[in-house]
Amino acid sequence: MSRGILSKVIEEIGETQAEIRAEDYTMVNVRPGEKVASMLGLVSALSGKTPSAVVAEELSSRLAAYAVSSATHAGAILDAAEEALKQNQMLQPGCALDILQNADVFELENGFEKQIRDKLFSPKKEPKRDAHE
Amino acid sequence: MSDQNVRSFSVQRGSVLDGEFTLRVKPEMFRETSDQSFSEKPKSDRKFNIRIKQHDILLLDALAEQEGVSRSVLINRLLHDFLRDELMSVQDDDARALLAVAADEQANYDDLSQPWVFDAIGSDFHHILHNILEFNDRNEQQPSDHPGAPENQFNSEAFIGLGEKLKGIKK
């Protein structure tokens, strides 16, 4: 028996929900204005994807490109990265901050890496020398 | 005259002018807008639920705060740039113009907005737009130069295919 339209729709809803949970997405309600809404609706209709899917694939790289477009954004990048790391200790794979890190826009050393570095490269204590030497 | 243009009301202020007042608006005195059908289009006020990675939200908020704008404004700016690049990535001039026109037809712009066709083909677009949609050519051409030419004679395959698909969407 072929699957009905409703069962497909419900399955897609379930998959989307699972994806949201698994990858720490947040649904944001956006009212983009007439111009963007009309083209987004058109691209969505032509591609057969939801507007959310059209945007989700692209937003992180766009955001990363925007962030790196001006040196004045450095503070904002640091603020966001600090907050993200305080929350999760790691950057979400594929997020704008992750893209920026991979592009060497900033570097990150976590606590574990710092410990290793300290152990391997810290200056060794000089042995006490005999006073008569 | 329609009731919308007439208003009657009573005024009692203890003066000789007391009594029933009537106001009538004269519609014929209003300046007709040249593109009334355009302005009558209902504002879509569309909202979209967009999935955004949580760490991207942190960066969006930090950048928005630094620039003194809302997160929504920043997302809108990013979406606009993304969609403009998508539009400009269409190689065939006529297909790109058709996409822009189709999107503009769905929008109810205010006077400050720049339609997609400006993005698609530049500032002197009216003249060029006609030539592109008709002849897939920016240069001036006259229909009389091509007597008996069938419809879409000059258009690209992308234009024809896209036109068919857009007809389906508009239905």
Side-chain angles (χ1 to χ4, degrees), chain A residues 5-53:
Chain A
I5 295 169
L6 263 182
S7 68
K8 285 182 190 169
V9 169
I10 289 168
E11 186 177 303
E12 283 174 13
I13 290 171
E15 285 171 358
T16 304
Q17 190 58 34
E19 195 179 26
I20 289 167
R21 275 205 301 268
E23 299 192 35
D24 290 331
Y25 281 95
T26 300
M27 294 301 281
V28 175
N29 194 277
V30 178
R31 194 181 304 218
E34 286 285 318
K35 185 179 182 184
V36 167
S38 64
M39 185 60 89
L40 183 56
L42 193 59
V43 172
S44 169
L46 286 170
S47 66
K49 297 177 180 174
T50 63
S52 179

Side-chain angles (χ1 to χ4, degrees), chain B residues 89-105:
Chain B
S89 72
V90 177
Q91 294 296 313
D92 294 300
D93 283 348
D94 57 352
R96 188 168 65 247
L98 182 58
L99 265 178
V101 169
D104 286 338
E105 283 175 354

